[in-house]
Amino acid sequence: NNLIDLSKLPTLKYSEDDIHQGNFIIIDPSGNKATSDAVSVMYFEIYDSVPICMKLKEGRMSPGDTIRTALTMALEKNCSVIVIESNAYQASLCYWLNFITTQLGIFGIHPVEVYSGSNSKNSRILTMFKQLKSGEVGIHSSCLAEVSLQVVSFNPLKTNNTDGLLDCLAYAPKVMELYMDLIISTLTIENQE
């Protein structure tokens, strides 16, 4: 894949001491069969209106493990917005996340859905490559190696790429467009406490 040279990405415009403007988690769920793709869970922080992938976890996870992973990440990072790609059956994960947080007595977590719409996954990912080049989306250096593996193997002519992390990155600007009010309002409440 020569669609993007990750070594030439723009420098991230924040320092470790900066306070983020909001944060959210995106889950790209998958089935629990041996032939299913891995589940991708990606944590973002927003700096100067740019979503930056700060932490990720990918692997074979049951729906329960997926929810535990996302909740653990949310609690560690004080993140209240968990976005779930909800095409077809995947929407049920939002229901189960609500159910489990209520069962555990965890309040303040907002599971929301994002849909692919009319764009194909490959089209979203190709657009995301342009956004990475222009600095509209960022990747922290601690996450770059895992993302790089999917970038170099991505073939836009195939539909069965290993691309869960790329898909999460592709959804980040849409999440900000759809849910920025919720992301900011939860951050405002957090800062007032």
Side-chain angles (χ1 to χ4, degrees):
N1 176 5
N2 59 3
L3 298 168
I4 184 169
D5 183 350
L6 292 173
S7 67
K8 294 183 180 174
L9 292 181
T11 305
L12 298 178
K13 299 174 185 168
Y14 82 98
S15 73
E16 298 296 330
D17 296 329
D18 289 345
I19 297 172
H20 61 76
Q21 299 163 330
N23 57 0
F24 58 91
I25 293 169
I26 298 178
I27 300 173
D28 183 7
S30 186
N32 199 21
K33 297 180 182 174
T35 57
S36 298
D37 290 338
V39 174
S40 303
V41 181
M42 190 173 277
Y43 168 72
F44 289 86
E45 290 180 355
I46 302 166
Y47 294 92
D48 294 329
S49 300
V50 175
I52 300 174
C53 166
M54 302 297 285
K55 185 174 182 177
L56 57 86
K57 180 152 178 146
E58 187 174 61
R60 307 231 3 99
M61 294 181 235
S62 68
D65 289 338
T66 301
I67 290 169
R68 277 187 284 283
T69 298
L71 281 177
T72 300
M73 201 178 282
L75 294 171
E76 284 173 358
K77 299 295 185 178
N78 204 15
C79 176
S80 61
V81 178
I82 299 177
V83 183
I84 301 164
E85 181 185 21
S86 294
N87 297 317
Y89 80 94
Q90 296 170 332
S92 67
L93 194 60
C94 204
Y95 167 82
W96 287 110
L97 184 56
N98 266 323
F99 182 83
I100 289 172
T101 54
T102 302
Q103 248 188 354
L104 295 174
I106 300 171
F107 299 99
I109 301 285
H110 304 283
V112 293
E113 299 174 338
V114 66
Y115 298 92
S116 59
S118 59
N119 289 343
S120 72
K121 182 189 282 196
N122 285 359
S123 175
R124 282 194 310 274
I125 291 170
L126 291 172
T127 299
M128 182 270 298
F129 286 163
K130 292 177 186 173
Q131 292 169 324
L132 277 173
K133 286 180 192 177
S134 67
E136 296 172 61
V137 175
I139 305 168
H140 189 272
S141 58
S142 64
C143 303
L144 200 52
E146 288 181 76
V147 173
S148 296
L149 286 174
Q150 291 190 8
V151 168
V152 296
S153 65
F154 179 76
N155 182 345
L157 301 177
K158 288 173 44 180
T159 57
N160 62 342
N161 290 293
T162 300
D163 53 17
L165 298 175
L166 303 180
D167 209 19
C168 287
L169 285 164
Y171 274 123
K174 186 174 184 177
V175 166
M176 288 177 55
E177 179 185 320
L178 293 172
Y179 299 113
M180 199 58 183
D181 288 344
L182 180 60
I183 292 166
I184 288 173
S185 68
T186 55
L187 184 64
T188 303
I189 291 168
E190 170 189 315
N191 287 336
Q192 290 177 357
E193 293 177 347

